[in-house]
Every structure is written in structure tokens, then in C-alpha cells.
């Protein structure tokens, strides 16, 4: 890790100082996850102990058992995945096609469209929730996964267009011309020539969009009033009341909730890092 950071110019020195700085940085980054896990093993009294305990005095799985048996955490996770997977697929399909088209059009209107898309990202989801509610109520899509999927895709699609467009512009046009000479159509060229070269950027964008959709809260709370349809983020929110919060159960629920994200990033960390640093090193 220290060698990688030194290559990127983050650490100007090598040897044990670089290793120590890297280890300290990783510990600081992972400490909130550690604190979340051990808080789920504490009881409600130890959560507020002063000074705080960094190792549970009497570890207990009672909070985890509660969220599995009483709160049906698996249903919440299934709902979150039911939203996140279609959002990711829709974003990759529409985003790759749109970004490819925008990268090949030499028109000022395309640049204006990109600026408009960036400006629209300034608006928070809480501000867009009310018009989204009105739109989906008028077409009878409230309390359906389709409403949350479409609303979330409208956010992630803009992100995909902005990120993928410059990536598509790096694909040499000569490769496409050669495919045209061989008799390929524009769609065949896009599918057989361009997309294989965009594998890593698409994986990065897909992963980030999945994380954003998996953690969707505002649209899930606004557009889904039926508890059996709500995602895990709304389920965690139900533990927090006006005067009291079951923080040890919140932490247990959150630990289970973040597990799929941790697994995805651990499994795909090399591809994600290589995609994020693409073009940074010569």
C-alpha cells in the first residue's frame, strides 16, 4: 500500500515511515466500522458509558437476534437489493449508450447539456421528493418498487453520463472506422468494439451507482408508505424516535446492512482502484 501511495505522489518518502502512515490512515478509516460492530454487541447502558469502552464488557448477540427475529432484517435487505440491482442495470445500459452518443457528437448543445446535468446535481433529493411524489401519484406508481427505481435512476444516470463521457472519448475512433469497413453497424460497433474497452470504467460506475441506490433513503421513505416494501435505510430510521433511540439495535442493523457493500468492495477493490486511477499514471 505504501508503495502504491508513493507512486501516486501522496507519500514523498518510503520505508517504514510510509508504512506507518498508511497503517494509521487505514485504522482511522476503518474505526467507524469497528465502532459500529462492537456497539451492536453492547447493551443499551454500555452504549452511553463514560469513558467509552472500546471492547464490550459482556458481548451479546441479543441486538442482532432482535433485528433478525422481530424486525425481519432480511426482508429489508431484499427490498434494498430489489431497488439497487435494477437501478444499477438501468444506469449502466442507458448511461453507456447516452455517454457514447454524447462523446461522438461534436456540438455545443452537448456541452450545454452536460453543464445542465451537473447543475441539476446540486438539488438535494429532499427537495425533489415532493414533485416526484406528485408525478408518481398521478401515474399510479406510489408504493411500488418501480417508483423508487425510476426516481433513483434519474440521479445515478446523470452521474454515469458525466463520468463515462470523457472515458468514451478516449476510445480511438479509428477502431470504429475499421469495424465500419468490416460491415458492422453502429450498434454492433458499440457492443462488440467499444464496450469491451470500457469494462473497467463501467465496473467502477456500476459499483458506485449500486452503493448509492442501496443506501437510498429519501425516495424510499417518501414513495413507499407500506412497511413491507421499504428498504433497509428506512428500517434503520424506525429505531430512532423523538425521545429515545435503540442505538445498540441501530448499530446491529447497520452492521448487517453494510455487509453486502463490504463484500462487493473487497471482491472488486483492484478493479475499482484501477478504474479510479485510470489516466493518472503514465
Amino acid at each position: 500500500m505504501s508503495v502504491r501511495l508513493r507512486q501516486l505522489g501522496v507519500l514523498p518518502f518510503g520505508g517504514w515511515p510510509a508504512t506507518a502512515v498508511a497503517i494509521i490512515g487505514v485504522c482511522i478509516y476503518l474505526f467507524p466500522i469497528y465502532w459500529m460492530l462492537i456497539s451492536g454487541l453492547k447493551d443499551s447502558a454500555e452504549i452511553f458509558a463514560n469513558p467509552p469502552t472500546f471492547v464490550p464488557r459482556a458481548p451479546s448477540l441479543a441486538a442482532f437476534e432482535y433485528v433478525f427475529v422481530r424486525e425481519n432484517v432480511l426482508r429489508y435487505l431484499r427490498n434494498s437489493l430489489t431497488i439497487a440491482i435494477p437501478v444499477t442495470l438501468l444506469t449502466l445500459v442507458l448511461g453507456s449508450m447516452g455517454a457514447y452518443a454524447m462523446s461522438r457528437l461534436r456540438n455545443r448543445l452537448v456541452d450545454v447539456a452536460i453543464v445542465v446535468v451537473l447543475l441539476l446535481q446540486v438539488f438535494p433529493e429532499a427537495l425533489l421528493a415532493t414533485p416526484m411524489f406528485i408525478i408518481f401519484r398521478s401515474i399510479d406508481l406510489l408504493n411500488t418498487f418501480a417508483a423508487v427505481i425510476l426516481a433513483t435512476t434519474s440521479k445515478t444516470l446523470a452521474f454515469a453520463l458525466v463520468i463515462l463521457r470523457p472515458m468514451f472519448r478516449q476510445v480511438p475512433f479509428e477502431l470504429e472506422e475499421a469495424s465500419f469497413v468490416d460491415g458492422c453497424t453502429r450498434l454492433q460497433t458499440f457492443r462488440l468494439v467499444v464496450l469491451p474497452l470500457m469494462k473497467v470504467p463501467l465496473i467502477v460506475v456500476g459499483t458506485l451507482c449500486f452503493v448509492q441506490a442501496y443506501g437510498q433513503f429519501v425516495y424510499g421513505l417518501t414513495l413507499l408508505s407500506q412497511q413491507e416494501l421499504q428498504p433497509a435505510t428506512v428500517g434503520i430510521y424506525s429505531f430512532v424516535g423523538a425521545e429515545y433511540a435503540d442505538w445498540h439495535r441501530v448499530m446491529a442493523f447497520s452492521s448487517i446492512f453494510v455487509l453486502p457493500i463490504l463484500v462487493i468492495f473487497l471482491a472488486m477493490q483492484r478493479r475499482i482502484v484501477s478504474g479510479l486511477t485510470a489516466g493518472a499514471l503514465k
Side-chain angles (χ1 to χ4, degrees):
M1 179 179 294
S2 60
V3 175
R4 181 66 171 172
L5 292 175
R6 190 165 65 254
Q7 290 176 344
L8 294 175
V10 177
L11 298 177
F13 45 84
W16 68 265
T19 303
V21 171
I23 293 175
I24 292 173
V26 170
C27 291
I28 293 174
Y29 183 79
L30 294 180
F31 180 76
I33 299 177
Y34 169 76
W35 189 257
M36 176 181 65
L37 290 173
I38 65 169
S39 296
L41 299 174
K42 299 178 181 179
D43 55 29
S44 57
E46 190 177 359
I47 286 284
F48 298 99
N50 189 18
T53 56
F54 293 94
V55 178
R57 297 167 185 165
S60 173
L61 295 175
F64 289 89
E65 181 181 359
Y66 180 89
V67 298
F68 267 107
V69 178
R70 297 287 299 274
E71 293 298 325
N72 199 354
V73 65
L74 294 180
R75 181 193 65 201
Y76 284 112
L77 292 179
R78 184 185 67 242
N79 293 342
S80 293
L81 292 174
T82 303
I83 293 171
I85 294 175
V87 167
T88 304
L89 296 177
L90 270 175
T91 302
L92 289 178
V93 173
L94 299 178
S96 60
M97 296 174 67
Y100 172 70
M102 297 176 74
S103 68
R104 292 299 180 256
L105 292 175
R106 304 294 180 178
N107 194 316
R108 287 190 177 182
L109 291 178
V110 176
D111 297 328
V112 173
I114 289 293
V115 173
V116 171
V117 168
L118 289 173
L119 290 177
L120 290 176
Q121 300 306 297
V122 176
F123 295 100
E125 292 180 352
L127 185 63
L128 299 175
T130 300
M132 288 286 187
F133 179 88
I134 296 173
I135 292 172
F136 290 118
R137 183 181 62 180
S138 65
I139 59 178
D140 198 25
L141 277 182
L142 285 182
N143 286 316
T144 64
F145 289 126
V148 182
I149 290 170
L150 292 175
T152 307
T153 302
S154 67
K155 195 79 173 178
T156 57
L157 181 58
F159 167 78
L161 290 174
V162 172
I163 298 299
L164 291 176
R165 186 197 177 210
M167 299 292 185
F168 276 110
R169 296 187 70 172
Q170 295 180 8
V171 177
F173 188 67
E174 290 77 9
L175 295 177
E176 299 179 48
E177 291 179 332
S179 67
F180 295 151
V181 172
D182 291 336
C184 291
T185 63
R186 173 70 70 175
L187 182 59
Q188 289 174 329
T189 299
F190 172 72
R191 182 170 57 89
L192 301 176
V193 178
V194 178
L195 280 185
L197 298 176
M198 295 291 295
K199 184 178 179 179
V200 173
L202 288 174
I203 289 176
V204 173
V205 171
T207 303
L208 297 179
C209 290
F210 178 86
V211 171
Q212 185 175 350
Y214 185 74
Q216 176 57 241
F217 172 73
V218 175
Y219 294 144
L221 180 64
T222 306
L223 304 176
L224 299 174
S225 60
Q226 298 179 7
Q227 187 178 16
E228 60 270 17
L229 298 177
Q230 292 174 340
T233 48
V234 181
I236 295 173
Y237 178 71
S238 65
F239 285 101
V240 182
E243 298 180 357
Y244 180 75
D246 292 329
W247 289 114
H248 61 305
R249 292 170 180 168
V250 170
M251 295 302 179
F253 200 128
S254 301
S255 300
I256 300 170
F257 173 68
V258 302
L259 184 61
I261 300 299
L262 294 177
V263 171
I264 290 174
F265 272 92
L266 288 175
M268 306 180 67
Q269 59 178 330
R270 291 185 180 274
R271 293 186 179 274
I272 293 174
V273 171
S274 62
L276 292 175
T277 58
L281 300 175
K282 298 293 185 181

